[in-house]
Amino acid sequence: MRKFLPWIVVGGILLIAVVWFVSIKNGAVKTNQEVNKEWGNVETSYQRRNDLIGNLVETVKGAAEFEKSTLEAITSARASASQVKIDPTNITPEQLAQFNQAQSGVSSSLSRLLVTVENYPDLKANQNFLKLQDELASTENQILTARTRFNEAVQKYNNYILVFPNSIFLGNYKEKPYFDAVAGAEKPVDVKFNFSNDKK
């Protein structure tokens, strides 16, 4: 029995090493899947906003005098943003920056549209418009939450694959980028609505 003891010890060590390696790989798969899931939530939130914007534009078109250029700008920004597709498994900082920039263009155009509405008392009182405006505000909060959760999932994933000794076995797993604030986001947006004015 003693002559087999070294082989048993070696076999036991190898078994422990294999189980440890499999555990590290499975952990990487799970954290990567969490990132993919949270990215799906980000896309869903932005898709909801795009759908609401489509309804908002149709509602605003009912105001005959409404600025055509404002509607064209938001429609164009929305179309451009929907063309930026990202695979979360191979996401790069450049791709995420492009996505972020496209969505920023939608936000900017949407802000201009909502400010312009101030000049249209009938539109401001339109119940469909007011409901869409409330839903958009709620959706913006959902987008913020989805982006935050995505960043948290990315942090967990990056920490997992970059720490030693995991990094030795997970060389084919690449670090993922975070959502950053868009350039100029640190400046507060001064948007004022005066809903108390009498109809013209």
Side-chain angles (χ1 to χ4, degrees), residues 6-24:
W7 293 106
I8 293 171
V9 171
V10 169
I13 291 172
L14 284 175
L15 181 61
I16 291 170
V18 167
V19 170
W20 183 50
F21 176 75
V22 169
S23 173
I24 288 174

Side-chain angles (χ1 to χ4, degrees), residues 88-107:
T89 56
N90 297 311
I91 193 168
T92 65
E94 293 77 21
Q95 289 173 332
L96 192 56
Q98 182 185 12
F99 179 89
N100 215 13
Q101 192 63 42
Q103 295 299 338
S104 174
V106 175
S107 297

Side-chain angles (χ1 to χ4, degrees), residues 169-195:
F169 303 106
L170 301 174
N172 57 328
Y173 285 82
K174 304 300 179 192
E175 186 176 0
K176 295 184 188 291
Y178 295 95
F179 262 114
D180 290 325
V182 193
E186 71 282 357
K187 299 174 185 173
V189 178
D190 186 19
V191 178
K192 296 179 181 176
F193 293 102
N194 184 6
F195 291 108

Side-chain angles (χ1 to χ4, degrees), residues 56 109-118 129 133 136 193:
L56 187 71
S109 296
L110 182 57
S111 294
R112 283 195 298 275
L113 179 129
L114 293 176
V115 168
T116 307
V117 166
E118 179 67 19
F129 178 82
Q133 195 175 25
L136 276 168
F193 293 102

